[in-house]
Amino acid sequence: MIETIYIARHGYRANWIDAQCGTVTGLARDHPLAAYGEAQARELATYFQTLPEAKRPTAIFSSPYYRCLQTALPVANVLNLPIHVEHGLSEWYSPVAPGTGLHPRPLAAADLNRYFIEIDPSWSSVWYPSRKGEDVKEVHARVNGFLDLFVPEVETRFADQHENILLVSHAATTIALCRGLLALPDMPLRVGCCSVSEFSRKPATHGILGAWGAKKLVDGSHLKDGASRDWGFEDIEMANGKVVNDIGVPGTERLENGPSGPQIPRSVL
């Protein structure tokens, strides 16, 4: 049974320094880490390596975005673990403006394996975000639904061999994950790059949402410069009480939304 969930946000992005930095995968908005972000990822790895062996993660699940995989990579290397790609941990995008197409969809694990040989493509994602985007309520609903499926699925697929797992994700998704595990949907929270949250399962609890206690919340004390570039939902752009629509990726106007929502039966809950 999973007893501890660690959550880390990715490191500092290259496009925050150079808006024209491009992408390695060719996918729109799939920016890599800056050199500073790679250094943060190494500091994150050192943090997990210095934990007592019984407290270290034994499984890593990462958003499919390149910056998250780069962040997970040093941890995977120092702990000698594979990386499992999970689309349920993906970036949050606000709803697409009508007629502008869809948001990007990262590659499948088997295709990402050519960039990161540490990826184990045998894990299949339990959730896919809609390429049409999500408002604030919908991203929280997505993450809550994901958690309800994901934790039991990890325990089932791996026959309860993992007590401590690490999730590597993005700012908005990380906040929603923390709120969901604590069942505190309005909890004020800002998350910086390569910060760590740690949740322990409460004894004699049932279900997933609210069944955890926080030992750390978006902590950056393991980083030389602390957690940088913090973000919270209060930073989003609003108009008339709604999230401002985003622009889709040009050329995707005629594409289907593709896999969206839960990918395994929700009756397993």
Coordinates of all heavy atoms in Angstrom, one line a residue, residues 170-247:
H170 N 3.4 20.1 -12.7 CA 3.4 21.5 -13.0 C 2.7 22.3 -11.8 O 2.1 21.7 -11.0 CB 2.7 21.8 -14.3 CG 3.1 20.9 -15.4 ND1 4.0 21.3 -16.4 CD2 2.8 19.6 -15.7 CE1 4.2 20.3 -17.2 NE2 3.5 19.3 -16.8
A171 N 2.9 23.6 -11.9 CA 2.4 24.4 -10.7 C 0.9 24.3 -10.4 O 0.5 23.9 -9.3 CB 2.7 25.9 -11.0
A172 N 0.0 24.5 -11.4 CA -1.4 24.4 -11.2 C -1.8 23.0 -10.8 O -2.6 22.8 -9.9 CB -2.2 24.9 -12.4
T173 N -1.3 22.0 -11.5 CA -1.6 20.6 -11.2 C -1.1 20.2 -9.8 O -1.8 19.5 -9.1 CB -1.0 19.7 -12.3 OG1 -1.3 20.2 -13.6 CG2 -1.6 18.3 -12.2
T174 N 0.1 20.7 -9.5 CA 0.6 20.4 -8.1 C -0.3 21.0 -7.0 O -0.6 20.3 -6.0 CB 2.0 21.0 -8.0 OG1 2.9 20.3 -8.9 CG2 2.6 20.9 -6.6
I175 N -0.7 22.2 -7.2 CA -1.6 22.8 -6.2 C -2.9 22.0 -6.1 O -3.4 21.7 -5.0 CB -2.0 24.2 -6.6 CG1 -0.7 25.1 -6.4 CG2 -3.1 24.8 -5.7 CD1 -0.8 26.5 -7.0
A176 N -3.5 21.6 -7.2 CA -4.7 20.8 -7.2 C -4.5 19.4 -6.6 O -5.3 18.9 -5.9 CB -5.2 20.6 -8.6
L177 N -3.3 18.8 -6.8 CA -3.0 17.5 -6.2 C -2.9 17.7 -4.7 O -3.5 16.9 -3.9 CB -1.6 17.0 -6.7 CG -1.6 16.5 -8.1 CD1 -0.1 16.4 -8.6 CD2 -2.2 15.1 -8.2
C178 N -2.2 18.7 -4.2 CA -2.1 19.0 -2.8 C -3.5 19.2 -2.1 O -3.8 18.6 -1.1 CB -1.2 20.2 -2.5 SG 0.5 19.9 -2.9
R179 N -4.3 20.0 -2.8 CA -5.6 20.3 -2.3 C -6.5 19.0 -2.2 O -7.3 18.8 -1.3 CB -6.3 21.4 -3.1 CG -5.7 22.7 -2.9 CD -6.3 23.7 -3.9 NE -5.9 25.1 -3.6 CZ -6.3 26.2 -4.4 NH1 -7.0 26.0 -5.5 NH2 -5.9 27.4 -4.0
G180 N -6.4 18.2 -3.3 CA -7.2 17.0 -3.3 C -6.8 16.0 -2.3 O -7.6 15.4 -1.6
L181 N -5.5 15.8 -2.1 CA -5.0 14.8 -1.1 C -5.5 15.2 0.3 O -5.8 14.4 1.2 CB -3.5 14.6 -1.1 CG -2.9 13.9 -2.3 CD1 -1.4 14.0 -2.4 CD2 -3.4 12.5 -2.4
L182 N -5.5 16.5 0.6 CA -5.9 17.0 1.9 C -7.4 17.3 2.0 O -7.9 17.6 3.1 CB -5.2 18.3 2.2 CG -3.7 18.2 2.3 CD1 -3.0 19.6 2.4 CD2 -3.3 17.3 3.5
A183 N -8.1 17.2 0.8 CA -9.6 17.6 0.7 C -9.8 19.0 1.2 O -10.7 19.3 2.0 CB -10.4 16.6 1.5
L184 N -8.9 19.9 0.8 CA -9.0 21.3 1.1 C -9.0 22.1 -0.2 O -8.0 22.7 -0.6 CB -7.8 21.8 2.0 CG -7.8 21.1 3.4 CD1 -6.5 21.5 4.1 CD2 -9.0 21.6 4.2
P185 N -10.2 22.2 -0.9 CA -10.2 22.7 -2.2 C -9.9 24.2 -2.3 O -9.5 24.7 -3.4 CB -11.6 22.4 -2.7 CG -12.4 22.3 -1.4 CD -11.5 21.7 -0.4
D186 N -10.0 24.9 -1.3 CA -9.7 26.4 -1.3 C -8.4 26.7 -0.6 O -8.2 27.9 -0.3 CB -10.9 27.1 -0.7 CG -12.2 26.9 -1.5 OD1 -12.1 26.9 -2.7 OD2 -13.2 26.6 -0.8
M187 N -7.6 25.8 -0.2 CA -6.4 26.1 0.6 C -5.5 27.0 -0.2 O -5.1 26.7 -1.3 CB -5.7 24.7 0.9 CG -4.4 24.9 1.6 SD -3.5 23.3 2.0 CE -3.2 22.7 0.3
P188 N -5.1 28.1 0.4 CA -4.1 29.0 -0.3 C -2.8 28.3 -0.4 O -2.3 27.7 0.5 CB -4.0 30.2 0.7 CG -5.2 30.1 1.6 CD -5.5 28.7 1.7
L189 N -2.2 28.4 -1.6 CA -1.0 27.7 -1.9 C -0.3 28.3 -3.1 O -0.9 28.5 -4.1 CB -1.2 26.2 -2.1 CG -0.1 25.2 -1.9 CD1 0.4 25.3 -0.5 CD2 -0.5 23.8 -2.3
R190 N 1.0 28.5 -3.0 CA 1.8 28.9 -4.1 C 3.0 27.9 -4.2 O 3.5 27.5 -3.2 CB 2.4 30.4 -3.9 CG 1.3 31.4 -3.8 CD 1.9 32.8 -3.7 NE 2.6 33.2 -5.0 CZ 2.0 33.7 -6.1 NH1 0.7 33.8 -6.1 NH2 2.7 34.0 -7.1
V191 N 3.4 27.6 -5.4 CA 4.3 26.5 -5.6 C 5.5 27.0 -6.4 O 5.3 27.6 -7.5 CB 3.7 25.3 -6.2 CG1 2.9 25.6 -7.5 CG2 4.7 24.2 -6.4
G192 N 6.7 26.8 -5.9 CA 7.9 27.2 -6.7 C 8.6 26.1 -7.4 O 8.2 24.9 -7.2
C193 N 9.5 26.4 -8.2 CA 10.2 25.3 -9.0 C 11.0 24.4 -8.1 O 11.7 24.8 -7.2 CB 11.2 26.0 -10.0 SG 10.4 26.9 -11.3
C194 N 10.8 23.1 -8.4 CA 11.5 22.0 -7.7 C 11.3 22.0 -6.2 O 12.0 21.4 -5.4 CB 13.0 22.1 -8.0 SG 13.5 21.2 -9.5
S195 N 10.2 22.6 -5.8 CA 9.7 22.5 -4.4 C 9.2 21.1 -4.2 O 8.8 20.4 -5.1 CB 8.7 23.5 -4.0 OG 7.5 23.4 -4.9
V196 N 9.1 20.6 -2.9 CA 8.7 19.3 -2.6 C 7.5 19.4 -1.6 O 7.6 20.1 -0.6 CB 9.8 18.5 -2.0 CG1 9.3 17.1 -1.4 CG2 10.9 18.2 -3.0
S197 N 6.5 18.6 -1.8 CA 5.4 18.3 -0.9 C 5.5 16.9 -0.5 O 5.8 16.0 -1.3 CB 4.1 18.7 -1.4 OG 4.0 20.1 -1.8
E198 N 5.2 16.6 0.8 CA 5.2 15.2 1.3 C 3.9 14.9 2.0 O 3.5 15.7 2.9 CB 6.4 15.0 2.2 CG 6.5 13.6 2.8 CD 7.6 13.4 3.7 OE1 8.5 14.2 3.8 OE2 7.6 12.4 4.5
F199 N 3.2 13.8 1.6 CA 2.0 13.5 2.2 C 2.0 12.0 2.8 O 2.5 11.1 2.1 CB 0.8 13.6 1.2 CG 0.6 15.0 0.7 CD1 1.3 15.4 -0.4 CD2 -0.2 15.9 1.3 CE1 1.2 16.7 -0.9 CE2 -0.4 17.1 0.9 CZ 0.3 17.6 -0.3
S200 N 1.6 11.9 4.0 CA 1.5 10.5 4.6 C 0.1 10.1 4.8 O -0.8 10.9 5.2 CB 2.2 10.5 6.0 OG 3.6 10.8 5.8
R201 N -0.1 8.8 4.5 CA -1.5 8.3 4.6 C -1.9 8.2 6.1 O -1.2 7.7 6.9 CB -1.5 6.9 4.0 CG -2.9 6.4 3.6 CD -2.8 5.2 2.8 NE -4.0 5.0 1.9 CZ -3.9 4.4 0.7 NH1 -2.7 3.9 0.3 NH2 -5.0 4.3 -0.1
K202 N -3.1 8.7 6.4 CA -3.6 8.6 7.7 C -4.1 7.2 8.0 O -4.6 6.5 7.2 CB -4.8 9.5 7.9 CG -4.5 11.0 7.7 CD -5.8 11.8 7.7 CE -5.6 13.3 7.5 NZ -6.9 14.1 7.5
P203 N -3.8 6.7 9.2 CA -4.2 5.4 9.6 C -5.8 5.3 9.6 O -6.5 6.2 9.9 CB -3.7 5.2 11.0 CG -3.5 6.6 11.5 CD -3.2 7.4 10.4
A204 N -6.2 4.1 9.3 CA -7.7 3.7 9.3 C -8.5 4.7 8.5 O -9.6 5.1 9.0 CB -8.1 3.7 10.8
T205 N -8.1 5.1 7.4 CA -8.9 5.9 6.5 C -9.2 5.2 5.2 O -8.5 4.2 4.8 CB -8.1 7.2 6.1 OG1 -6.9 6.9 5.5 CG2 -7.9 8.1 7.3
H206 N -10.3 5.6 4.6 CA -10.8 4.9 3.4 C -10.8 6.0 2.3 O -11.0 7.2 2.5 CB -12.2 4.3 3.6 CG -12.2 3.3 4.7 ND1 -11.7 2.0 4.6 CD2 -12.7 3.4 6.0 CE1 -11.9 1.4 5.7 NE2 -12.4 2.2 6.6
G207 N -10.7 5.5 1.1 CA -10.7 6.4 -0.1 C -9.4 7.1 -0.2 O -8.4 6.7 0.4
I208 N -9.3 8.0 -1.1 CA -8.0 8.7 -1.4 C -8.1 10.2 -1.0 O -7.3 10.7 -0.3 CB -7.7 8.6 -2.9 CG1 -7.7 7.1 -3.4 CG2 -6.4 9.3 -3.2 CD1 -6.7 6.3 -2.6
L209 N -9.1 10.9 -1.5 CA -9.2 12.3 -1.2 C -9.4 12.6 0.3 O -10.3 12.0 0.9 CB -10.4 13.0 -2.0 CG -10.3 12.7 -3.5 CD1 -11.5 13.4 -4.2 CD2 -9.0 13.2 -4.1
G210 N -8.6 13.4 0.9 CA -8.7 13.7 2.3 C -8.1 12.7 3.2 O -8.1 12.8 4.4
A211 N -7.5 11.6 2.6 CA -6.9 10.5 3.5 C -5.5 10.7 3.8 O -4.8 9.8 4.2 CB -7.1 9.2 2.8
W212 N -5.0 11.9 3.6 CA -3.5 12.2 3.8 C -3.3 13.4 4.7 O -4.1 14.3 4.7 CB -2.9 12.4 2.4 CG -3.2 11.3 1.4 CD1 -4.4 11.1 0.8 CD2 -2.4 10.2 1.1 NE1 -4.3 10.0 0.0 CE2 -3.1 9.4 0.2 CE3 -1.1 9.8 1.5 CZ2 -2.6 8.2 -0.3 CZ3 -0.6 8.6 1.0 CH2 -1.4 7.8 0.1
G213 N -2.1 13.3 5.4 CA -1.7 14.5 6.1 C -0.4 15.0 5.5 O 0.4 14.3 4.9
A214 N -0.2 16.3 5.6 CA 0.9 17.0 4.9 C 2.1 17.1 5.9 O 1.9 17.7 7.0 CB 0.6 18.4 4.4
K215 N 3.2 16.5 5.5 CA 4.5 16.7 6.3 C 5.3 17.8 5.8 O 6.0 18.5 6.5 CB 5.3 15.4 6.3 CG 4.7 14.3 7.1 CD 5.6 13.2 7.4 CE 5.1 12.2 8.4 NZ 6.1 11.1 8.7
K216 N 5.2 18.1 4.5 CA 5.8 19.2 3.8 C 4.8 19.8 2.8 O 4.1 19.0 2.2 CB 7.1 18.9 3.1 CG 8.3 18.6 3.9 CD 9.5 18.2 3.0 CE 10.7 17.8 3.8 NZ 11.4 19.1 4.3
L217 N 4.8 21.1 2.6 CA 4.0 21.7 1.6 C 4.8 22.7 0.8 O 5.3 23.6 1.4 CB 2.8 22.4 2.2 CG 1.5 21.6 2.4 CD1 0.4 22.5 3.0 CD2 1.0 21.0 1.0
V218 N 5.0 22.3 -0.5 CA 5.8 23.1 -1.4 C 7.0 23.7 -0.8 O 7.3 24.9 -0.8 CB 4.9 24.2 -2.1 CG1 3.8 23.5 -3.0 CG2 4.2 25.1 -1.1
D219 N 7.8 22.9 -0.2 CA 9.0 23.3 0.5 C 10.2 23.4 -0.4 O 10.5 22.5 -1.2 CB 9.3 22.3 1.7 CG 10.5 22.7 2.5 OD1 10.5 23.6 3.2 OD2 11.6 22.0 2.3
G220 N 11.0 24.5 -0.3 CA 12.2 24.6 -1.1 C 13.5 24.7 -0.3 O 14.5 25.2 -0.9
S221 N 13.5 24.3 0.9 CA 14.6 24.4 1.8 C 15.8 23.5 1.3 O 17.0 23.8 1.7 CB 14.3 24.1 3.2 OG 13.8 22.7 3.3
H222 N 15.6 22.5 0.5 CA 16.6 21.7 0.0 C 17.4 22.3 -1.2 O 18.4 21.8 -1.7 CB 16.1 20.3 -0.5 CG 15.0 20.5 -1.5 ND1 13.7 20.9 -1.2 CD2 15.0 20.3 -2.9 CE1 13.0 21.0 -2.3 NE2 13.7 20.6 -3.3
L223 N 16.9 23.5 -1.7 CA 17.5 24.2 -2.8 C 18.4 25.3 -2.4 O 18.0 26.1 -1.4 CB 16.4 24.7 -3.7 CG 15.4 23.7 -4.3 CD1 14.2 24.4 -5.0 CD2 16.1 22.8 -5.3
K224 N 19.5 25.4 -3.0 CA 20.5 26.5 -2.6 C 19.9 27.8 -2.6 O 20.1 28.6 -1.6 CB 21.7 26.4 -3.5 CG 22.8 27.5 -3.2 CD 24.0 27.2 -4.1 CE 23.7 27.4 -5.6 NZ 23.5 28.8 -5.9
D225 N 19.1 28.1 -3.6 CA 18.5 29.5 -3.7 C 17.0 29.5 -3.3 O 16.3 30.4 -3.5 CB 18.6 30.0 -5.1 CG 20.0 30.2 -5.6 OD1 20.9 30.6 -4.7 OD2 20.4 29.8 -6.7
G226 N 16.5 28.4 -2.7 CA 15.1 28.3 -2.4 C 14.3 28.0 -3.6 O 14.8 28.0 -4.7
A227 N 13.0 27.9 -3.4 CA 12.1 27.6 -4.5 C 11.8 28.9 -5.3 O 11.2 29.8 -4.7 CB 10.8 26.9 -4.0
S228 N 12.1 29.0 -6.5 CA 12.0 30.2 -7.3 C 10.7 30.2 -8.2 O 10.1 29.1 -8.3 CB 13.2 30.4 -8.2 OG 13.3 29.2 -9.1
R229 N 10.3 31.3 -8.7 CA 9.2 31.5 -9.6 C 7.9 30.8 -9.1 O 7.3 30.0 -9.8 CB 9.6 30.8 -11.0 CG 8.7 31.1 -12.2 CD 9.0 32.4 -12.9 NE 8.1 32.6 -14.0 CZ 8.4 33.4 -15.0 NH1 9.5 34.0 -15.1 NH2 7.5 33.6 -16.0
D230 N 7.6 31.2 -7.9 CA 6.4 30.6 -7.3 C 5.1 31.1 -8.1 O 5.1 32.2 -8.6 CB 6.3 30.9 -5.8 CG 6.1 32.4 -5.5 OD1 6.6 33.2 -6.2 OD2 5.3 32.7 -4.6
W231 N 4.1 30.3 -8.1 CA 2.8 30.6 -8.8 C 1.7 30.1 -8.0 O 1.8 29.1 -7.3 CB 2.9 29.8 -10.1 CG 1.7 30.1 -11.0 CD1 1.6 31.1 -12.0 CD2 0.4 29.5 -11.1 NE1 0.4 31.1 -12.6 CE2 -0.4 30.1 -12.1 CE3 -0.1 28.4 -10.3 CZ2 -1.7 29.7 -12.3 CZ3 -1.4 28.0 -10.6 CH2 -2.2 28.7 -11.6
G232 N 0.5 30.8 -8.1 CA -0.7 30.4 -7.4 C -1.9 30.7 -8.3 O -1.7 31.5 -9.3
F233 N -3.0 30.1 -8.1 CA -4.2 30.3 -8.9 C -4.6 31.8 -8.9 O -5.3 32.2 -9.8 CB -5.3 29.4 -8.5 CG -5.3 28.1 -9.1 CD1 -4.8 27.0 -8.4 CD2 -5.7 27.8 -10.4 CE1 -4.7 25.7 -8.9 CE2 -5.7 26.6 -11.0 CZ -5.2 25.5 -10.2
E234 N -4.2 32.6 -7.9 CA -4.6 34.0 -7.9 C -3.8 34.8 -9.0 O -4.2 35.9 -9.3 CB -4.2 34.6 -6.5 CG -2.8 34.5 -6.1 CD -2.4 33.3 -5.4 OE1 -3.2 32.3 -5.5 OE2 -1.4 33.3 -4.6
D235 N -2.9 34.1 -9.7 CA -2.1 34.8 -10.7 C -2.8 34.7 -12.1 O -2.3 35.3 -13.1 CB -0.7 34.2 -10.8 CG 0.1 34.5 -9.6 OD1 -0.1 35.5 -8.9 OD2 1.0 33.7 -9.3
I236 N -3.8 33.8 -12.2 CA -4.4 33.7 -13.5 C -5.2 34.9 -14.0 O -5.7 35.7 -13.1 CB -5.4 32.4 -13.5 CG1 -6.5 32.6 -12.6 CG2 -4.6 31.2 -13.3 CD1 -7.5 31.5 -12.6
E237 N -5.3 35.1 -15.3 CA -6.0 36.2 -15.8 C -7.5 35.9 -15.9 O -7.9 34.9 -16.5 CB -5.4 36.5 -17.2 CG -6.0 37.8 -17.8 CD -5.4 38.1 -19.2 OE1 -4.5 37.4 -19.6 OE2 -5.8 39.1 -19.8
M238 N -8.3 36.8 -15.3 CA -9.7 36.6 -15.3 C -10.4 37.7 -16.0 O -9.9 38.8 -16.1 CB -10.2 36.6 -13.8 CG -9.6 35.5 -12.9 SD -10.2 33.8 -13.2 CE -11.8 34.0 -12.6
A239 N -11.6 37.4 -16.5 CA -12.5 38.5 -17.1 C -13.9 38.0 -16.9 O -14.3 36.9 -17.2 CB -12.2 38.6 -18.6
N240 N -14.7 38.9 -16.3 CA -16.1 38.7 -16.0 C -16.3 37.4 -15.2 O -17.2 36.6 -15.4 CB -16.9 38.5 -17.3 CG -16.8 39.8 -18.2 OD1 -16.9 40.9 -17.6 ND2 -16.6 39.6 -19.5
G241 N -15.4 37.2 -14.3 CA -15.5 36.1 -13.4 C -15.0 34.7 -13.9 O -15.2 33.7 -13.3
K242 N -14.5 34.7 -15.1 CA -14.1 33.5 -15.8 C -12.6 33.6 -16.2 O -12.1 34.7 -16.4 CB -14.9 33.2 -17.0 CG -16.4 32.9 -16.7 CD -17.2 32.5 -17.9 CE -18.6 32.1 -17.6 NZ -19.4 31.7 -18.8
V243 N -12.0 32.4 -16.3 CA -10.6 32.4 -16.8 C -10.6 32.8 -18.3 O -11.4 32.4 -19.1 CB -10.0 30.9 -16.7 CG1 -8.6 30.9 -17.2 CG2 -10.1 30.4 -15.3
V244 N -9.6 33.7 -18.6 CA -9.5 34.1 -20.0 C -9.1 33.0 -20.9 O -8.2 32.2 -20.6 CB -8.5 35.3 -20.1 CG1 -8.2 35.6 -21.5 CG2 -8.9 36.5 -19.3
N245 N -9.8 32.8 -22.0 CA -9.5 31.7 -22.9 C -8.1 31.8 -23.5 O -7.5 32.9 -23.7 CB -10.5 31.7 -24.1 CG -11.9 31.3 -23.7 OD1 -12.1 30.8 -22.6 ND2 -12.8 31.4 -24.6
D246 N -7.5 30.7 -23.8 CA -6.2 30.6 -24.4 C -6.3 30.3 -25.9 O -7.4 29.9 -26.3 CB -5.4 29.5 -23.7 CG -3.9 29.7 -23.8 OD1 -3.4 30.5 -24.5 OD2 -3.2 28.9 -23.1
I247 N -5.2 30.4 -26.6 CA -5.2 30.2 -28.0 C -4.7 28.7 -28.3 O -3.7 28.3 -27.7 CB -4.3 31.2 -28.8 CG1 -4.8 32.6 -28.5 CG2 -4.3 30.9 -30.3 CD1 -6.2 32.9 -29.0

